[in-house]
């Protein structure tokens, strides 16, 4: 439809029709008898259903088409409905959780993954995905860190931009793509004390310099929607924050798309004590420029009165409706209201061999090797025990893979069993596959349950009357298998419901029952390789020093088993790098690499009293941001600079180069990271900030040069003049393999 026609359509709509475009209903209204959150009066459903402009959570091409047909036929202007869903890290083919994707340090992996998610979801009837989540995260207590790509603004921005491009392709009208909704604007990742839905206090300096950058990148990549966050930002709930939404998001960042509230967030301004009632909340939200009210009746029940009484200008309504109509038009819904949804096509493309291969590649690249004593990995032994609750676990996704079928997930046990050279057994007896010409034997034992008895889960409490008996017999079997084996691969991790929304924790250790298993295995195993499946950084207690190798597997998704087995057996060398610092203990939270030095930096050697420190723990992370081993060894040369000054006036750049050499015996990929530090400024600057990264694959003995171009823009920060600018003076450039690198050189910025 032409823009002028959209305007004519808008002019012809009744006020009620317009208001209802701004209302999003939960898909549960179509499930008979389903309890629906958000709407107080059940009898209103039927009325709202006829005109509400969008639906959340309905999928299935036939179902979507039937709802669309009925809706459009009854709608006075036959305007199509919009169908939205959280397609976060997979629809059918599920990729590593976003935190795992961050660990790839390879935006292209996320772009390809998002494109596959879009293709599967679009065929299944979805038009908008609530992804990517670009919230910068520093606090492992917050369960939603699993949905972020980590603690660094630059890495987050690169990943978010790639995801938006993957979901949206060249045009959202293309039937294989979705419109992407960036969330949660803004600062949700800084929830105080890591407690979900809590308030956020951020100085404008930190907000601008760190937290807003990722969202900005996603918006620049063309994201069609933005979601307002649940939290307050410096005392103001985002959905009612006019400065944040109109001045920053719209005027400064130039966002022209649809702004949707998070679920119920407009209504939540009442319990926050920011709005008197839902009517007041509706006024505040529309004034702030929130276009769609997700699942409350603030807009549906109050906007008409607010307009008629003159409390709000009808122009605010019209501009919101126009943005929504425009999105529907961009998606091509006026021509094809199903956006290509088709059962046949969905069946044909879902979980294709090619998609699985992309997911498997993503898993391999996301795994982070933290320890590998005496080259324990890759596995060389022939008698291998796969032990632990994740050895044969199908739930390798996160709580945000809403539409996958876990049965389609490849477990580690299944991946091992598929290998040509493996005879697979469960425990000491039951053979799954056996053939004389295979030289490896893999035995599998669960060892323990995932959760402790009485663990809190997102949906309630996990209790098991036979907990002790069950675990005693699981442990017995695991002991027998471990004593038989030459090497034990111990697969531990958090439960699927232990990270995600509403899963904040004050204790980030593994469940006790798994730690008991760990110590038993350590006592018996000749070699112990520990794998950790997790959606958040954990306090590993004594696992790192007591394991011969330690590999972080995140929540790896559908192809988890294959990707991990590829790494364990040495088909590929690991290359993942930590996107979030891993702490020693929860007491350090938040711990992140790009912090300030303080006026009393702790000396690296010698006396440290009266310097910034803990008495009982290092300041630094146990494993720093950007860290991760490969199966080879790398050396890096000193940083060479093409010049020693950038002049603001001339706009010249400096090239910083290093030579990287693979000094080991295995071909491997290393991620070379560029960090900068502004030595003296009118505002204290972080000790290091990531400004670039490049991967280099080298054969044993091979060397390669990696270069980065440094320009003036990379030196900018949010200054006292309330703008991004650079200041003349000295800078340090660091190039290395993680954020602790001291491989540095100096340059200056001149007028
Ligand atoms: C609440 C979550 O905060 C948000 O991320 C999600 O997109 C919506 N619910 C819709 O499911």
């Amino acid at each position: 439809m032409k823009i002028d026609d959209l305007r004519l359509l808008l002019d012809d709509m009744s006020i009620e029709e317009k208001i209802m475009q701004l209302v999003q209903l939960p898909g549960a209204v179509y499930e008979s008898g389903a309890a629906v959150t958000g709407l107080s009066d059940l009898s209103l459903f039927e009325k709202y259903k006829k005109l509400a402009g969008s639906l959340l959570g309905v999928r299935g091409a036939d179902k979507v088409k039937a709802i669309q047909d009925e809706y459009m036929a009854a709608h006075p202007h036959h305007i199509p409905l919009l169908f939205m869903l959280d397609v976060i890290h997979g629809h059918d083919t599920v990729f590593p959780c976003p935190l795992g994707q961050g660990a790839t340090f390879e935006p292209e992996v996320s772009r390809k993954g998002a494109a596959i998610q879009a293709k599967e979801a679009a065929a299944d009837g979805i038009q908008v995905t609530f992804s990517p989540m670009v919230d910068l995260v520093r606090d492992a207590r917050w369960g939603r860190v699993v949905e972020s790509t980590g603690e660094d603004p630059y890495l987050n921005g690169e990943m978010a931009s790639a995801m938006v491009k993957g979901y949206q392709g060249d045009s959202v009208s293309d039937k294989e793509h979705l419109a992407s909704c960036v969330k949660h604007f803004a600062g949700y990742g800084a929830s105080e004390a890591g407690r979900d839905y809590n308030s956020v206090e951020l100085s404008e300096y930190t907000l601008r310099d760190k937290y807003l950058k990722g969202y900005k990148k996603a918006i620049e990549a063309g994201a069609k929607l933005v979601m307002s966050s649940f939290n307050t930002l410096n005392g103001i709930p985002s959905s009612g924050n006019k400065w944040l939404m109109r001045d920053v998001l719209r005027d400064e960042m130039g966002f022209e798309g649809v702004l949707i509230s998070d679920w119920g967030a407009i209504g939540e301004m009442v319990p926050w004590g920011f709005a008197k009632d839902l009517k007041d909340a509706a006024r505040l939200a529309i004034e702030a420029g929130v276009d769609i009210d997700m699942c409350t009746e603030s807009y549906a029940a109050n906007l008409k009165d607010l307009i008629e009484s003159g409390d709000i200008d009808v122009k605010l309504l019209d501009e919101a409706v126009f943005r929504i109509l425009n999105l529907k038009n961009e998606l091509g819904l006026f021509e094809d209201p199903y956006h290509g949804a088709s059962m046949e096509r969905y069946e044909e493309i879902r979980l294709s061999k090619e998609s699985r291969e992309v997911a498997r590649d993503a898993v391999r690249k996301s795994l982070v090797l933290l320890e590998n004593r005496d080259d324990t990995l890759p596995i060389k032994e022939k008698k291998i025990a796969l032990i632990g609750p994740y050895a044969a676990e199908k739930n390798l996704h996160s709580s945000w893979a809403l539409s996958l079928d876990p049965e389609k997930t490849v477990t580690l046990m299944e991946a091992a069993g598929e290998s040509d050279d493996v005879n697979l057994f469960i425990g000491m007896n039951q053979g799954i596959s056996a053939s004389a010409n295979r030289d490896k034997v893999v035995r599998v034992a669960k060892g323990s349950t995932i959760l402790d008895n009485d663990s809190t889960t997102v949906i309630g409490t996990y209790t098991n009357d036979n907990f002790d008996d069950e675990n005693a017999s699981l442990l017995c079997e695991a002991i027998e298998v471990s004593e038989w084996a030459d090497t034990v691969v111990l697969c531990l991790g958090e439960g699927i419901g232990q990270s995600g929304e509403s899963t904040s924790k004050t204790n980030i250790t593994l469940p006790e029952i798994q730690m008991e298993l760990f110590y038993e295995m350590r006592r018996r195993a000749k070699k112990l390789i520990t794998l950790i499946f997790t959606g958040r950084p954990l306090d590993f207690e004594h696992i790192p020093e007591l394991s011969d190798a330690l590999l972080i597997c995140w929540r790896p998704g559908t192809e988890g088993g294959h990707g991990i087995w590829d790494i364990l057996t040495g088909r590929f060398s690991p290359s993942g790098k930590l996107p979030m610092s891993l702490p020693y203990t929860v007491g350090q939270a938040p711990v992140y690499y790009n912090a300030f030095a303080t006026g009393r930096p702790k000396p690296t050697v010698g006396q440290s009293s009266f310097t910034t420190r803990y008495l009982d723990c290092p300041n630094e992370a146990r494993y720093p941001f950007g860290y991760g081993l490969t199966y080879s060894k790398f050396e890096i040369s000193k940083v060479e600079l093409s010049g020693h000054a950038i002049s603001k006036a001339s706009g010249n750049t400096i090239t910083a180069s290093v030579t990287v050499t693979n000094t080991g015996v295995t071909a491997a990929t290393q991620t070379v990271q560029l960090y900068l530090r502004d030595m003296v400024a009118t505002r204290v600057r972080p000790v290091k900030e990531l400004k670039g990264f490049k991967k280099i694959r080298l054969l044993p003995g091979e060397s390669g040069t990696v270069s980065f171009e440094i320009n003036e823009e990379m030196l900018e920060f949010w200054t006292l003049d309330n703008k991004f600018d650079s200041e003349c003076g000295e800078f340090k450039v660091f190039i290395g393999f993680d954020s602790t690198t001291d491989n540095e050189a100096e340059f200056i910025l001149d007028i």
Side-chain angles (χ1 to χ4, degrees), residues 555-588:
R555 310 247 9 133
T558 317
E559 283 294 310
H562 280 147
I564 296 168
W565 191 247
D566 288 344
I567 294 288
L568 294 180
T569 53
R571 261 190 79 201
F572 291 84
S573 165
S575 60
K577 297 281 185 176
L578 290 176
M580 236 185 129
S581 305
L582 298 189
Y584 286 88
T585 155
V586 71
Q588 290 177 293

Side-chain angles (χ1 to χ4, degrees), residues 297-557:
E297 53 186 332
S298 319
Y299 279 3
N302 298 301
L303 282 184
K304 194 162 180 224
D305 276 2
L306 285 166
I307 291 167
E308 285 173 357
S309 62
D311 283 333
I312 61 164
D313 191 331
V314 70
K315 270 206 255 157
L316 294 184
L317 174 67
D318 284 349
E319 67 175 39
V321 179
F322 187 75
R323 283 194 282 260
I324 295 163
L325 294 179
N326 193 44
L327 174 62
K328 292 183 176 184
N329 193 35
E330 287 184 311
L331 280 158
L333 298 186
F334 289 99
E335 290 77 34
D336 172 9
Y338 317 129
H339 193 61
S342 144
M343 287 288 269
E344 297 70 43
R345 203 177 129 59
Y346 176 58
E347 289 305 331
E348 196 185 303
I349 60 156
R350 65 196 288 210
L351 269 171
S352 70
K353 205 162 149 269
E354 296 73 35
S355 303
R356 279 189 179 272
E357 198 38 61
V358 176
R360 183 172 181 160
D361 180 57
V363 176
R364 291 192 290 248
K365 289 175 170 162
S366 71
L367 306 180
V368 184
L369 183 63
L370 295 180
E371 301 288 349
N372 196 18
R373 300 196 170 88
D374 303 324
D375 293 330
T376 298
L377 280 174
I379 298 173
K380 289 136 206 107
E381 290 72 21
K382 305 288 179 208
K383 289 160 77 180
I384 304 165
L386 283 186
I387 295 180
Y390 273 96
E393 174 60 41
K394 285 274 183 192
N395 288 307
L396 296 183
H397 51 290
S398 82
S399 54
W400 277 113
L402 300 174
S403 44
L404 100 162
D405 173 0
E407 283 311 306
K408 300 284 187 328
T409 294
V410 180
T411 67
L412 195 51
M413 176 179 86
E414 287 163 343
E418 281 175 24
S419 305
D420 296 342
D421 57 350
V422 166
N423 281 328
L424 185 68
F425 295 86
I426 293 193
M428 290 305 290
N429 306 312
Q430 201 186 334
I432 294 184
S433 61
S435 157
N437 51 16
R438 298 178 184 166
D439 69 340
K440 282 187 195 149
V441 178
V442 173
R443 292 186 183 275
V444 184
K446 186 170 173 187
S448 79
T449 51
I450 294 184
L451 297 177
D452 290 329
N453 221 8
D454 296 325
S455 297
T456 305
T457 70
V458 206
I459 43 166
T461 307
Y462 168 80
T463 39
N464 172 354
D465 292 342
N466 301 319
F467 184 78
D468 292 332
D469 292 349
E470 187 186 331
N471 275 293
S473 88
L474 290 174
L475 184 59
C476 267
E477 185 187 46
I479 288 174
E480 223 184 331
V481 172
S482 66
E483 286 176 340
W484 158 87
D486 290 332
T487 191
V488 171
V489 179
L490 184 58
C491 312
L492 307 177
E494 280 199 324
I496 181 174
Q498 304 289 291
S499 58
E501 189 177 341
S502 189
T503 60
S504 298
K505 288 173 106 182
T506 58
N507 177 357
I508 54 169
T509 51
L510 283 170
E512 274 174 36
I513 192 72
Q514 293 193 45
M515 287 310 293
E516 280 171 29
L517 175 65
F518 173 80
Y519 287 116
E520 279 296 340
M521 292 299 104
R522 178 60 290 179
R523 270 195 281 281
R524 298 166 202 269
K526 297 178 191 88
K527 279 195 177 167
L528 184 64
I529 298 162
T530 308
L531 311 188
I532 308 277
F533 293 76
T534 183
R536 57 147 62 83
L538 293 174
D539 167 352
F540 294 126
E541 303 184 84
H542 293 297
I543 290 177
E545 63 267 26
L546 294 180
S547 300
D548 295 297
L550 176 59
L551 186 71
I552 305 302
C553 301
W554 312 110
R555 310 247 9 133

Side-chain angles (χ1 to χ4, degrees), residues 24 56 85-86 88 130-131 133 144 147 183-184 188 197 227 230 262-263 294 400 402 501:
Q24 174 157 100
L56 187 173
L85 183 72
D86 292 271
I88 306 294
F130 297 127
S131 175
M133 176 176 119
R144 300 198 78 167
E147 297 174 60
K183 66 189 187 185
H184 306 83
Y188 185 32
Y197 315 123
M227 185 185 290
F230 286 128
D262 200 344
W263 179 296
M294 187 193 290
W400 277 113
L402 300 174
E501 189 177 341

